[in-house]
Amino acid sequence: MISEQYKKFLSYVIYQVYPRSFNDTNGDGIGDINGVIEKLDYLKELGVNAIWLCPCYKSPNDDNGYDIADYRDIMDEFGTLDDVKRLISEMHKRDMKLIMDLVPNHTSSEHEWFKQSRMSKDNPYSDYYYWFDEPQNDWQSCFCGSAWEYDEQRGQYYLHSYAPSQPDLNWENPKVVKEIQDVVDFWVDLGVDGFRCDVIDQISKDWERNLNCFGPQLHDHIHALFGRDKVRHIFTVGECWAGDIDEIVRHSAYERGELSTLFQFDHLACGCTTKFRKKPESLKSVRDIIAKWQTLNQERDLIHALFTDNHDNGRFISRMGNDGELRYESATCLAAMFYLLRGVPFIYQGQEFGLTNSHHHSIDEFDDIESVNIYKYFCESMTPEEAIDKINFGSRDNPRRPMSWTAGKNGGFSDAEPWMPLHSRYKEINLETDRNSEKSVFNFYREILKIRRENDAILYGDFEVISKQEDGNFVFTRTYEGKRFIVICNFEDESEISVETSGKIILSNYGRDAVSGTYRPYEVAIIEE
Ligand code: NOJ
């Protein structure tokens, strides 16, 4: 049984916009809110009905907006609050939803709260952050080095799980909980339809178990944010590393009033040992992981967040697919593997025309704090060439390069020189070229999303996997009220696939018309019975 609220969410198709690199309309080389508005009809045409907008708030940009200096105002380079209001209204006119990025775990050190907090031990903001006379443990920052920083002004150490300029908020202080509730309400009052919640599992620390996440108050805090009547209807997706289904239930079962869903990251660990170190691995592993979560989510009536790419990882197609000769086939195969499952699809900008990793020769061509710091660390034990190779593979700048809309000047992203070097393959892989090609990834995405939109069996149907573990393919069915779809994705070399059906093929990436037979690499067939 799927509740009405969940049915509503299952109809969402969310497109992730990284605003800095999406579309520049005022000629400063940096994307802006008006650039998002300008592309709404394009996104509608693709079949998207919601946008997750990465942070666009006032920020010194040490971590590209994940270091917020004012939760209620917009970064000058991106525009104004009025632009965001216009974005909301233009989206709502088109029946689209806006999901903002909420960053509750930390602020920028430029935030007024921190500026006040660091001034003394007895000011109204003194307990808004974690201050101690000594580091409390050996926690490491995600961007290299200790997570504890000494502050001369206050004469104490504070905790920063990310850069030193991103101090962690002290959620043990009820005033902090209230502040972030107010931030949520501010945006809901402006009309936003939901939030993607950055590292939400870190807002409660487990000091006893020496973990800077999953602390004892985590569920109370999330409930305090989203369980209130005022916001109970909005869509929320947590960035949260929950490892088992019971944990996921505790975060996102509807009756708990916490999150609508959360990103489950197991499949992103395929194809690498750590983020920057490649490991050859078959898509079979990805298939087994997503099939497992699909089944578990279905059994518990939970929503599965369906995604391959985001702003924090190298492009999935370059790691787990083929970003060379079979780029079209593998991009379309991944789309069928993920977006015909039950859940909410998330598409990251550029994915819809098969954008791959970008290759660069010098660290000067990178911007991301994580990549720059880890490069320095790598160079302590390897040559710069080896280090840059790893950065090219795993860098968060892969998906953050300015969008390649065309093969023309600045990739059609801006009239001015872009804020960071363009994607190395933009002349070959860009939306315009793709749409003019017979093998258009964009057109395939449109078809997939149309099938999804128009068929309850794809939106709500039961999932069942048919392929066996040893097979180099993923064959699954989606069934609802007597109607069934069969999806065949062959991802290894040629396979013989035979399926009992009287149905017809409604979409294929190789122009196939017979259901059974030899399937070529990354071949897809979608069958309606
Ligand atoms: C996760 C975000 O996705 C990432 O981009 C950011 O650097 C960290 N959280 C810190 O906010």
Side-chain angles (χ1 to χ4, degrees), residues 34-214:
N34 285 330
V36 184
I37 298 176
E38 196 175 84
K39 296 292 181 187
L40 289 179
D41 290 329
Y42 161 71
L43 295 178
K44 188 87 193 166
E45 188 187 354
L46 172 61
V48 159
N49 57 20
I51 288 178
W52 152 19
L53 186 65
C54 279
C56 59
Y57 315 98
K58 279 246 179 327
S59 161
N61 274 311
D62 285 355
D63 185 18
N64 280 355
Y66 283 94
D67 46 330
I68 297 175
D70 185 344
Y71 286 97
R72 292 176 174 78
D73 206 353
I74 303 304
M75 198 181 303
D76 290 339
E77 295 151 332
F78 289 176
T80 63
L81 195 56
D82 280 339
D83 293 338
V84 174
K85 289 183 188 162
R86 213 155 51 80
L87 171 66
I88 296 172
S89 124
E90 290 297 323
M91 290 187 70
H92 287 174
K93 260 191 230 162
R94 292 167 175 80
D95 206 14
M96 296 171 95
K97 311 283 179 205
L98 181 62
I99 315 294
M100 297 286 274
D101 215 310
L102 180 75
V103 186
N105 178 65
H106 43 270
T107 66
S108 158
S109 51
E110 307 271 303
H111 195 291
E112 200 47 40
W113 300 338
F114 190 74
K115 287 191 195 161
Q116 300 272 343
S117 191
R118 76 190 329 177
M119 274 183 349
S120 65
K121 292 179 190 158
D122 55 2
N123 68 76
Y125 296 91
S126 59
D127 292 337
Y128 269 46
Y129 298 85
Y130 294 106
W131 292 102
F132 295 97
D133 292 335
E134 298 293 336
Q136 297 298 290
N137 44 44
D138 59 359
W139 291 352
Q140 295 295 298
S141 136
C142 282
F143 297 149
C144 296
S146 167
W148 296 97
E149 183 82 0
Y150 184 71
D151 184 63
E152 295 282 348
Q153 210 176 338
R154 172 138 166 173
Q156 281 188 308
Y157 287 84
Y158 65 89
L159 176 67
H160 60 89
S161 299
Y162 296 87
S165 57
Q166 292 170 289
D168 283 37
L169 281 164
N170 172 9
W171 276 74
E172 286 161 39
N173 178 352
K175 286 191 204 152
V176 167
V177 181
K178 176 76 174 67
E179 293 278 12
I180 302 295
Q181 278 178 337
D182 290 349
V183 168
V184 166
D185 291 356
F186 173 84
W187 289 102
V188 171
D189 288 340
L190 277 189
V192 313
D193 306 282
F195 296 96
R196 174 268 183 184
C197 308
D198 190 66
V199 291
I200 190 107
D201 50 2
Q202 294 192 311
I203 63 176
S204 176
K205 320 290 180 201
D206 196 332
W207 303 103
E208 280 195 2
R209 287 191 301 153
N210 199 22
L211 281 177
N212 80 349
C213 54
F214 288 108

